[in-house]
Amino acid sequence: MSALALAFQHSSGSKDCYLFLQAHFERLPSLAQKLAEGYAHVSKRHGHAAANCWLRRNAQDLIDPASIYRRFHAIGHDLERGFNALVKRASTTIEGLKAACEWLASVQDRLVVHGFNVTHDDDAVINHAQAQATALERERSKLVGGIAEHNRRLRLGLLPPSLNLKTPKARTLSGQAREVALQIATSRNPLSPPLGIIPLMAVFRWHRAPVMCLAVVNEMALEKARHRARLHGINPPSLKLKSSVQLAKLTDPIWWRRQLRRLGGRRLEQVQREAHRVHKRAGIYCSNVTLDRRRAQKNRNRALLEALEAINQEGQVYTLAELAELGLSNPDHRRAELMLRISDTEAESRRMGHVGMFYTLTAPSRFHPVISENSVRNSKYDGSTPRDAQAYLQKVWARTRAALARENLSIYGIRVVEPHHDGTPHWHLLIWMKREDTKRINQIMQSHAEADTPQELYDRRGRKTTARFKVERINYTKGTAAGYVAKYISKNINGEQFTREGVANDDKDRYGHELTSIAPRIESWAAVWGIRQFQFVGLPSVTVWREVRRLNEKHIDELAAWEAATRPERRVADRLHQIRKAANAGQWDQFLRLMGGPNLPRKQRPIKPWTMPRVDLQQAEFSHATGEVRQGVEAKGRHGENKLGTFGIVVSDGRGNEHEYLTRFYKWEVRSKAQRHQGVSGGGEAASPWTRVTNCTQGPDIQPREPSPEEIKAQRERLEEWKRSEIYRAEAEDAYREGQAAIEAARNLFAPPTPTPQEEYFPPELC
């Protein structure tokens, strides 16, 4: 029996009652059956009049879940499961429907960013970003076009004085318009006649309107652009930047694309967490949707790195993907460097007689959407995101370090951030300290970690637990400190490690998953929420370590030539060579000792990075596009900001003498592979002309030359050879596949919705 028929049987049976029920059930087709059952239940107990009141009162705030599922088709099944779970958790069905519909309404508000659906593919993100940047550029162009008209009206005295209008208090738009019109009509202006008893000059108030110029227009356009960004839920650029830089960012589609991807990914992941799709029995650490989006992003990045290549002044050519594999983008290199720094820091701490402690800090229960034991929903969860939990832990750590500093208690080590199975972050800290300070440091850390909601720290029997704060002293008879964190380091990078002997399930996490299978999920979790996974405390700058290691044996001649040309102080040169020897030998403990040991302020370290603004000697002095005259040789970034670069290191002898050392000897030029195949040269040489006509002003002796038949024939042969090459074939196939995918996406996007069958006015079963 249909929902309308079921409800109509328990109504008065009149035509008005039928139309009343039909109107409600047509608006909520997917909830019609549940509402009809509730209507029948109330009608049996209290009569059809009470049932009508019940339906009118409870159905007015409900929405149709099916329309939300269709709008967010990519996660429609997850939203449906979350909706049904909320309905079941409530004490009554109607209360569950209200709570679930309220949640779906909030989901719709979050997943639709100023008209953009964040569940769409990346092509939709690119199109929306381009549309926003274009719209802002058009608004600025309109303002620029009105400069002359504004100044003409100003010269003729046609601009009225500015009015300080009060905010209208009417609720309707027409009422607000009437209030504003009344304020304008009753205000004094040069066109209204003065009273007879008041002198003319005493009535007029002269206002000097500013002359409109490009700077004023840019400020007006910037205010509109910042407003548009806030409408999208995006934080505008910092006000500390120049107005020109802010406007350049807000009119850049790449900036919009990056912001939309970040915002959409986080909102989508938070909805998945609320829908109970992120826990150890579903998508552990992060949702499957976020994992797929991260894989697609890495594939796009990989394709871009493969398509670009870099060439230096010596003619060496590498793709950016090859250069990335040589650096810390390679997870094996990153893990090896982290483990080296940890193990050698431990060696130096043992030499100084310090004690190692292993801490675990966890956020309160309100940050966890799922209970760990049985993976059911946590009733204390308040909707916080992992970034909120990370901010809470950072605040706890800041208070802890401030308390330690007040008592002159020094610590150093590493912090590792990893997620619980539900995506909530927690911290592992491997800290070294003096033996006599251990007890007091433990007390301070525990007091700050357990200060929030201490009632949660006790179980049902009244015994205190270690759920919020756990401390363990490093026992070197059982293993090294590096062994304590080796598993956490591996799990948060790529899952590859050497399994320790005698340790059961060392290749699995605490939930029984293989490290190699969950490492991509943790990496996706950290990427989508923007959480820094590793951070060292109280140790020298790793930038200095890496820059010093650039001065290896391959560049010993360049180093000698630099010292011969700059003539540093002998103490400075000797200190550099000692530190360089330790760094190139991979001895972080010796490097730490030569850099002054742990907990030394960075200003007092013997070596610091040498950073300065980059220069560009090839930039044009005059821009024909904007009419701007550029002064200076400072290189500008994409948005006109100054570009700082690291050129080397600054070495100090401890007596006030400093000397700069250059560590970067190559100048790279990035180009696409297509440019090389088209004959564009690189490495500082002049590029091949892109047209057969010179760029000089034409005169009697400079005329365009038509190519000879032999040259035309040779050009055609080169073109045919290029078309027969594998590169051309691969590019043509990629273009065809992208075109087909775009056509299919357009069909799915603009396909008409399936019509919903309409019920007749009086169904046959009611006749």
Side-chain angles (χ1 to χ4, degrees), residues 50-296:
N52 290 338
C53 295
W54 175 88
L55 182 61
R56 183 185 300 106
R57 181 179 65 255
N58 293 298
Q60 60 182 357
D61 296 331
L62 301 181
I63 60 176
D64 184 28
S67 62
I68 307 296
Y69 305 154
R70 290 192 298 268
R71 186 169 191 178
F72 308 109
H73 177 71
I75 59 172
H77 294 293
D78 298 333
L79 295 179
E80 186 176 3
R81 295 184 63 169
F83 182 89
N84 295 333
L86 288 176
V87 174
K88 294 179 181 179
R89 290 180 62 191
S91 57
T92 62
T93 302
I94 192 62
E95 292 180 359
L97 290 177
K98 287 183 178 180
C101 288
E102 183 180 358
W103 174 70
L104 277 185
S106 68
V107 167
Q108 182 172 343
D109 293 338
R110 285 177 288 170
L111 296 187
V112 178
V113 182
H114 199 58
F116 169 67
N117 190 339
V118 301
T119 61
H120 287 168
D121 56 7
D122 194 67
D123 292 337
V125 177
I126 296 174
N127 295 336
H128 190 77
Q130 183 66 46
Q132 300 308 311
T134 303
L136 291 175
E137 191 64 38
R138 288 178 178 175
E139 289 183 2
R140 180 178 178 274
S141 299
K142 291 180 180 179
L143 293 175
V144 172
I147 292 178
E149 180 66 18
H150 178 276
N151 292 335
R152 186 184 70 84
R153 291 175 177 268
L154 179 62
R155 289 194 304 270
L156 298 177
L158 299 178
L159 293 179
S162 57
L163 299 175
N164 297 323
L165 299 179
K166 299 180 181 179
T167 304
K169 300 181 179 180
R171 295 184 178 181
T172 61
L173 185 60
S174 59
Q176 295 178 6
R178 285 192 297 270
E179 287 188 20
V180 173
L182 181 61
Q183 293 184 43
I184 296 175
T186 57
S187 62
R188 300 294 302 171
N189 58 74
L191 301 181
S192 59
L195 299 177
I197 60 175
I198 302 178
L200 184 64
M201 297 304 296
V203 176
F204 285 168
R205 290 185 179 181
W206 299 95
H207 298 266
R208 176 59 182 172
V211 177
M212 187 65 67
C213 61
L214 189 60
V216 177
V217 165
N218 287 338
E219 291 296 332
M220 296 171 62
L222 177 60
E223 187 61 30
K224 292 185 177 182
R226 294 179 65 88
H227 178 66
R228 183 181 289 264
R230 286 190 288 265
L231 288 177
H232 283 77
I234 297 174
N235 293 326
S238 174
L239 293 174
K240 297 180 180 179
L241 299 175
K242 295 182 179 179
S243 299
S244 59
V245 176
Q246 297 181 46
L247 187 59
K249 286 178 177 288
L250 290 165
T251 54
D252 184 10
I254 297 180
W255 183 87
W256 277 95
R257 186 190 312 172
R258 186 181 300 114
Q259 299 296 325
L260 288 173
R261 283 172 176 168
R262 181 185 298 118
L263 178 67
R266 291 176 182 177
R267 289 191 176 184
L268 185 59
E269 178 66 10
Q270 179 61 19
V271 168
Q272 290 284 300
R273 296 177 77 235
E274 295 174 2
H276 202 225
R277 304 311 304 154
V278 181
H279 54 87
K280 60 185 177 182
R281 298 181 182 178
I284 189 170
Y285 303 127
C286 73
S287 64
N288 296 329
V289 176
T290 296
L291 181 63
D292 294 339
R293 289 166 67 97
R294 179 60 177 170
R295 286 173 178 171

Side-chain angles (χ1 to χ4, degrees), residues 397-553:
W397 180 240
R399 293 171 179 171
T400 301
R401 295 199 63 182
L404 295 176
R406 286 193 294 269
E407 300 187 18
N408 295 323
L409 301 175
S410 301
I411 59 174
Y412 60 97
I414 182 177
R415 180 207 72 186
V416 181
V417 182
E418 66 170 359
H420 284 287
H421 68 107
D422 58 359
T424 306
H426 64 282
W427 286 14
H428 297 294
L429 298 106
L430 178 58
I431 301 296
W432 288 277
M433 64 199 71
K434 295 180 181 179
R435 190 179 301 273
E436 59 271 17
D437 297 339
T438 303
K439 182 177 180 180
R440 181 54 183 161
I441 291 176
N442 290 343
Q443 292 175 353
I444 293 176
M445 294 190 66
Q446 184 174 6
S447 63
H448 286 85
E450 298 178 349
D452 191 296
T453 58
Q455 63 274 12
E456 296 179 355
L457 303 176
Y458 297 89
D459 58 12
R460 297 178 179 177
R461 299 180 180 179
R463 294 176 300 185
K464 190 174 183 180
T465 65
T466 59
R468 194 78 59 78
F469 176 81
K470 183 179 180 182
V471 59
E472 182 179 0
R473 186 166 182 169
I474 303 299
N475 189 350
Y476 292 109
T477 61
K478 296 182 180 180
T480 63
Y484 276 78
V485 297
K487 190 172 183 179
Y488 301 106
I489 297 293
S490 174
K491 184 170 66 172
N492 284 270
I493 295 181
N494 60 356
E496 299 290 344
Q497 71 167 8
F498 296 101
T499 305
R500 293 170 292 180
E501 296 182 0
V503 180
N505 298 323
D506 196 37
D507 58 338
K508 299 180 180 179
D509 67 347
R510 59 181 299 183
Y511 306 107
H513 298 84
E514 299 287 341
L515 295 184
T516 54
S517 64
I518 63 159
R521 306 189 74 96
I522 297 180
E523 191 273 338
S524 302
W525 167 84
V528 72
W529 291 113
I531 293 177
R532 183 177 180 179
Q533 296 174 277
F534 310 104
Q535 185 176 11
F536 284 83
V537 179
L539 297 177
S541 170
V542 70
T543 302
V544 173
W545 163 267
R546 294 166 184 168
E547 292 299 323
V548 171
R549 285 171 61 86
R550 290 177 180 270
L551 299 175
N552 50 29
E553 296 301 325

Side-chain angles (χ1 to χ4, degrees), residues 598-616:
N599 295 311
L600 184 69
R602 291 198 173 184
K603 293 183 179 180
Q604 302 178 16
R605 299 281 184 187
I607 300 180
K608 58 184 179 181
W610 178 23
T611 59
M612 58 183 299
R614 295 187 179 274
V615 298
D616 184 7

